[in-house]
Amino acid sequence: MTTPRRHYALYGNVVIPREYCPSCRQWALVIQGRLACCSDTTDLGSRRMKRMSEAADVRRQPTEEEKRQILEAQENRCLYCQRLFGSAAIRKEKLLWLKVTWDHLVPFSYGQNNNGYNFAASCQICNGLKGSLMFATIDEARTYVISLSDAREPTETGQSSERDLNDG
């Protein structure tokens, strides 16, 4: 039996364990001690690093045309919470006006992908909650972000009682 080829793969600024699987005859990422290809267990004993892709020099935003197309496709709403940009939300007892931030769907740190299809419009709250996490689907990302969000819609009752507290 030959010793498996193992290393930590560097994708831009991200380090991911990787091992060659002799059963599947392919390289596979190691996730929680298992090969992603066939779920065989492994003990990644290597400390060797192998650069798979260079880190990009510049993180950029979408072009003005890409921004227009994305906002139109998303109906001027946050991809995650579906709130309209420019609307109000209360978070940590503060009134916020939701602004557009440009989120990399596959985080920039993973692949340095600045292509237009890798951008989504999100509000500052959701973009901060998602951070540099990567999800298999948009629905998974939405579920995760919404589960963490404590933002809520302002209500007439909530607004007047806050005013009363501030006046008194």
Side-chain angles (χ1 to χ4, degrees):
M1 183 173 158
T2 61
T3 304
R5 293 178 279 172
R6 309 169 169 167
H7 60 261
Y8 287 94
L10 294 168
Y11 293 93
N13 301 322
V14 177
V15 178
I16 303 174
R18 209 170 84 130
E19 183 173 320
Y20 186 81
C21 177
S23 303
C24 299
R25 296 185 179 171
Q26 66 181 353
W27 284 98
L29 299 178
V30 177
I31 302 168
Q32 296 179 341
R34 295 189 174 275
L35 295 173
C37 57
C38 59
S39 295
D40 284 352
T41 58
T42 183
D43 177 24
L44 191 71
S46 176
R47 294 197 185 276
R48 202 175 67 134
M49 299 280 191
K50 182 176 180 185
R51 178 149 308 272
M52 306 307 291
S53 66
E54 292 295 323
D57 294 337
V58 179
R59 178 189 299 242
R60 74 162 183 87
Q61 290 194 355
T63 65
E64 292 304 315
E65 178 61 17
E66 290 167 337
K67 288 178 181 180
R68 186 191 63 72
Q69 290 173 353
I70 293 166
L71 286 170
E72 186 177 298
Q74 291 181 210
E75 299 177 350
N76 204 38
R77 294 178 180 275
C78 172
L79 181 67
Y80 305 110
C81 69
Q82 297 294 300
R83 289 189 177 104
L84 276 171
F85 295 115
S87 65
I90 296 174
R91 182 161 192 247
K92 297 183 180 176
E93 303 309 317
K94 292 187 181 182
L95 184 65
L96 300 172
W97 297 99
L98 300 180
K99 298 181 278 190
V100 177
T101 61
W102 298 101
D103 182 37
H104 286 82
L105 294 170
V106 174
F108 184 78
S109 60
Y110 284 79
Q112 291 72 44
N113 183 347
N114 281 318
N115 293 322
Y117 61 81
N118 192 38
F119 285 103
S122 64
C123 69
Q124 68 270 36
I125 297 168
C126 293
N127 197 355
L129 292 171
K130 177 185 172 273
S132 63
L133 297 176
M134 187 164 46
F135 298 90
T137 66
I138 297 297
D139 287 335
E140 280 183 24
R142 279 185 183 132
T143 300
Y144 174 81
V145 169
I146 290 169
S147 74
L148 294 180
S149 181
D150 60 350
R152 63 185 192 282
E153 303 290 324
T155 61
E156 286 300 317
T157 307
Q159 286 176 345
S160 61
S161 63
E162 284 178 29
R163 266 190 241 122
D164 294 342
L165 289 172
N166 291 334
D167 292 339

